[in-house]
Amino acid sequence: MKIALLAGDGIGPEILREAVRVLEVLRGEGLKVETEEAPIGGAAYDVAGDPLPAATLALAKAADAVLFGAVGGPKYDALPRDKRPEKAILGLRKECDFFANLRPATVFPELAGASTLKPEVVSGLDIMIVRELTGDIYFGEPRGITGEKGSRMGFNTMRYTEAEIRRILHIGFRTARQRGKRLCSVDKMNVLETTQLWRDIADEMAPEYPDVSLSHMLVDNCAMQLVRNPRQFDVVVTGNIFGDILSDEASMLTGSIGMLPSASLDADGKGLYEPIHGSAPDITGKGIANPLAQILSLAMMFKYTFGRADIAARIEGAVRKALASGLRTADIAVAGEKTCSTADMGAAVIKAL
Ligand code: IPM
Ligand code: MG
């Protein structure tokens, strides 16, 4: 198992360190894992003038899986778009064709009180958001800003080919098949042609999956339903930008964005695994970041790329135990609760493992 470790910026290195400690425990038990690190994002810009250096991309391509921290920071906000840290993650997704992004939102029983929503609304929540990751308005051409000051125009292009829509919908249907057999496809067909095509194709494909019940929902309604009655969802499948927004929203149902892992897979099951949160410059260097989204991303790697659901379950069980022991990083503590450090949480997971 060859794993590329790309820590990136902000809290990236702090949380990745904890996931690597988990990996080292497994290696100590005889699991054959090889790891190699490379700079990415602002950290790579600082040393190589490029957020996604060729050597980093080559390492990611040669590995079976990538464990990714986070990229970005205020220091890099003024850089031209093609030098910005975000370019690194977008480039990596595109170059490696990691088109299928799985973002689970599950509420750990211990944390039902940490959500800003009432526990009776979120407890037991278990949603999987399947987000298309290499198309849509994120990558569509033409794009840009033209004109003179006073009459400038900004423009982007939302586009999806039939093939792109089909392959992500297949992932959606198959994911639903392995879970509660309900797939909700989210679009904005009342306004956007791209997503009318999306809905038409979903309907065309539905007979191939007679065991899955397909429904459609407009994205604005979905945003509302996610906070009104989130447990109505099993699997949600949607395009890149809607998935970006809805997955942040879904994360807060679980108590903290610091809890949510993700997998981004290519057609062969190779993948990039990263927390859905960002580099959190406001808490960088304080040792208080929640490492659990990163550790749970490692668990997803074992499940989806290495076919070791047993190891994934073991890591998830260890996370649950650490939470059950009462440890809380600041993001998941409720008022008055004592908080612990990134390293304390990592150590508790390893102990439970
Ligand atoms: C995410 C992030 C990225 C995205 C950014 C950092 C480019 O928000 O992974 O959800 O928009 O996809
Ligand atoms: Mg996002």
Side-chain angles (χ1 to χ4, degrees):
M1 305 176 189
K2 275 201 193 151
I3 304 174
L5 301 174
L6 310 182
D9 308 319
I11 60 170
E14 301 169 37
I15 56 174
L16 194 83
R17 192 175 304 136
E18 302 308 320
V20 169
R21 287 167 66 185
V22 171
L23 208 48
E24 269 155 15
V25 171
L26 298 169
R27 191 187 276 146
E29 293 173 355
L31 197 74
K32 297 255 175 298
V33 233
E34 280 171 45
T35 56
E36 198 173 330
E37 296 171 30
I40 195 155
Y45 176 79
D46 287 341
V47 295
D50 182 353
L52 181 56
T56 300
L57 182 59
L59 177 70
K61 284 189 168 170
D64 303 309
V66 178
L67 191 62
F68 186 94
V71 289
K75 187 179 155 194
Y76 309 104
D77 279 351
L79 288 175
R81 200 149 284 274
D82 66 323
K83 297 284 183 215
R84 290 179 55 124
E86 289 78 7
K87 185 77 192 174
I89 181 64
L90 295 173
L92 205 52
R93 291 169 179 170
K94 189 76 177 173
E95 290 286 331
C96 299
D97 206 20
F98 293 138
F99 71 95
N101 186 208
L102 308 181
R103 297 192 161 187
T106 36
V107 170
F108 288 89
E110 293 80 10
L111 296 184
S115 174
T116 46
L117 273 82
K118 297 194 184 91
E120 61 266 33
V121 174
V122 296
S123 67
L125 181 81
D126 180 4
I127 306 179
M128 179 65 89
I129 296 184
V130 177
R131 169 190 176 195
E132 200 288 330
L133 209 53
T134 54
D136 204 350
I137 197 163
Y138 268 53
F139 294 96
E141 300 280 348
R143 63 192 297 156
I145 301 174
T146 55
E148 303 294 312
K149 215 167 184 165
S151 60
R152 284 170 295 178
M153 180 180 73
F155 55 99
N156 289 91
T157 305
M158 178 178 259
R159 68 190 309 155
Y160 265 126
T161 65
E162 177 157 1
E164 286 173 317
I165 296 172
R166 275 185 192 278
R167 69 175 181 171
I168 192 66
L169 285 172
H170 275 303
I171 303 283
F173 277 112
R174 274 187 234 134
T175 306
R177 180 170 268 177
Q178 287 155 16
R179 295 175 35 110
K181 304 195 165 37
R182 286 180 299 117
L183 179 65
C184 179
S185 171
V186 172
D187 60 44
K188 187 69 187 174
M189 62 74 81
N190 53 348
V191 180
L192 302 170
E193 285 80 358
T194 315
T195 70
Q196 173 71 60
L197 179 64
W198 180 286
R199 187 177 289 213
D200 293 347
I201 293 174
D203 282 332
E204 284 167 36
M205 288 170 64
E208 291 176 51
Y209 298 90
D211 51 330
V212 174
S213 96
L214 171 71
S215 61
H216 301 282
M217 196 177 275
L218 296 174
V219 64
D220 49 349
N221 184 28
C222 182
M224 187 265 277
Q225 295 295 339
L226 269 175
V227 286
R228 193 185 77 89
N229 175 20
R231 280 183 307 215
Q232 70 185 281
F233 298 105
D234 175 19
V235 178
V236 169
V237 63
T238 191
N240 202 346
I241 190 149
F242 297 161
D244 178 45
I245 298 165
L246 294 176
S247 61
D248 261 37
E249 188 189 4
S251 76
M252 274 322 289
L253 305 172
T254 72
S256 169
I257 195 165
M259 291 297 300
L260 290 202
S262 78
S264 306
L265 306 173
D266 73 3
D268 305 318
K270 266 186 68 166
L272 178 142
Y273 297 83
E274 59 173 323
I276 84 154
H277 63 70
S279 57
D282 54 327
I283 58 164
T284 298
K286 296 186 178 162
I288 60 169
N290 184 347
L292 295 180
Q294 185 81 73
I295 292 172
L296 291 167
S297 296
L298 179 67
M300 286 188 92
M301 178 187 292
F302 281 107
K303 178 167 178 190
Y304 289 99
T305 291
F306 297 130
R308 292 295 303 267
D310 57 324
I311 297 177
R314 205 176 136 206
I315 297 173
E316 284 161 14
V319 166
R320 213 157 293 150
K321 265 199 186 154
L323 291 172
S325 77
L327 279 190
R328 299 286 182 271
T329 43
D331 57 305
I332 50 175
V334 295
E337 248 174 359
K338 189 171 170 301
T339 62
C340 75
S341 69
T342 309
D344 292 339
M345 186 61 98
V349 172
I350 283 169
K351 188 165 162 241
L353 199 68

